């Protein structure tokens, strides 16, 4: 799908009242439920793609460092959420992650890989915690977690592929980041 069409569709999703994936309106039942969950809300969808986009610019030789770090910390956040350990401002943190990742992509911000891993790790903690808190009793938590981690990996891959294609076209690359940041602001207003 052409990037302009993709972002147009994502914009409409971001502006809808159910754009936040963590509404409790979908079943949390196992691998399939966990796998489909990241595709149901613009917040998760945009953040995962943005991690891949930014990884291409900030760590071109270790492009998988940021996605793998994100997935590892997201798993930890999921465990904390499932264990009932509270994390303040989870939905706000998720929406803010979309804004900040959009800005990082827009500016093609280059920081040390240590700093980049720390930032995506912080974002991942919020995303994972939201997933974990949705896991109820009678649900196989490992199957659900495997599903949302697999989908997250695919979305990171989509971001990396898009980033590699667009990095040579700085206007498009930065435009994707700006669109993500703008959609993140819309999500942030819903989360507040």
């Amino acid at each position: 799908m052409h990037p302009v069409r993709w972002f147009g569709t994502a914009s409409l999703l971001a502006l809808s009242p159910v754009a936040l994936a963590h509404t409790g309106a979908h079943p949390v039942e196992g691998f399939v439920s966990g796998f489909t969950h990241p595709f149901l809300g613009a917040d998760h969808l945009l953040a995962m793609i943005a991690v891949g986009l930014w990884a291409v610019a900030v760590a071109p030789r270790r492009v998988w460092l940021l996605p793998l770090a994100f997935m590892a910390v997201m798993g930890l956040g999921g465990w904390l959420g499932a264990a009932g350990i509270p994390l303040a401002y989870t939905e706000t943190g998720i929406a803010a992650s979309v804004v900040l990742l959009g800005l990082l992509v827009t500016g093609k911000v280059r920081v040390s890989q240590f700093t980049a891993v720390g930032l995506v790790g912080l974002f991942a903690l919020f995303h994972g915690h939201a997933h974990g808190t949705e896991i109820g009793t009678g649900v196989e938590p490992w199957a659900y977690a495997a599903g949302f981690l697999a989908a997250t990996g695919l979305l990171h891959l989509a971001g990396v592929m898009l980033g590699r294609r667009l990095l040579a076209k700085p206007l498009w690359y930065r435009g994707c980041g700006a669109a993500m940041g703008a959609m993140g602001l819309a999500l942030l207003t819903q989360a507040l």
Side-chain angles (χ1 to χ4, degrees):
M1 180 182 275
H2 193 275
V4 172
R5 287 187 195 140
W6 184 87
F7 283 111
T9 303
S11 296
L12 292 174
L13 286 173
L15 296 175
S16 73
V18 294
L20 297 171
H22 312 287
T23 61
H26 70 281
V28 179
E29 299 172 343
F31 182 86
V32 172
S33 177
F35 186 83
T36 58
H37 181 87
F39 298 99
L40 297 177
D43 53 356
H44 198 80
L45 186 74
L46 292 170
M48 298 313 99
I49 292 172
V51 167
L53 279 169
W54 190 45
V56 170
V58 78
R61 293 190 180 166
R62 294 189 175 109
V63 75
W64 298 111
L65 180 66
L66 297 185
L68 290 174
F70 190 101
M71 291 170 63
V73 178
M74 189 172 82
L76 172 65
W79 177 80
L80 292 171
I85 299 169
L87 178 64
Y89 306 108
T90 302
E91 288 299 329
T92 303
I94 290 170
S97 75
V98 178
V99 174
L100 294 172
L101 283 163
L103 290 173
L104 292 167
V105 171
T106 301
K108 288 176 74 175
V109 175
R110 293 180 189 248
V111 296
S112 71
Q113 290 178 10
F114 181 80
T115 301
V117 166
L119 282 172
V120 298
L122 176 64
F123 303 153
L125 189 63
F126 288 110
H127 284 270
H129 192 273
H131 287 298
T133 57
E134 292 176 337
I135 298 173
T137 57
V139 174
E140 185 57 49
W142 297 111
Y144 182 76
F148 76 68
L149 285 169
T152 296
L154 286 175
L155 290 170
H156 287 323
L157 175 63
V160 167
M161 291 171 54
L162 182 63
R164 285 185 171 160
R165 186 171 183 183
L166 296 181
L167 201 56
K169 302 172 186 176
L171 186 60
W172 279 97
Y173 182 84
R174 291 176 190 270
C176 285
M180 288 177 165
M183 288 181 265
L185 284 175
L187 294 168
L188 192 56
T189 61
Q190 289 179 15
L192 295 176

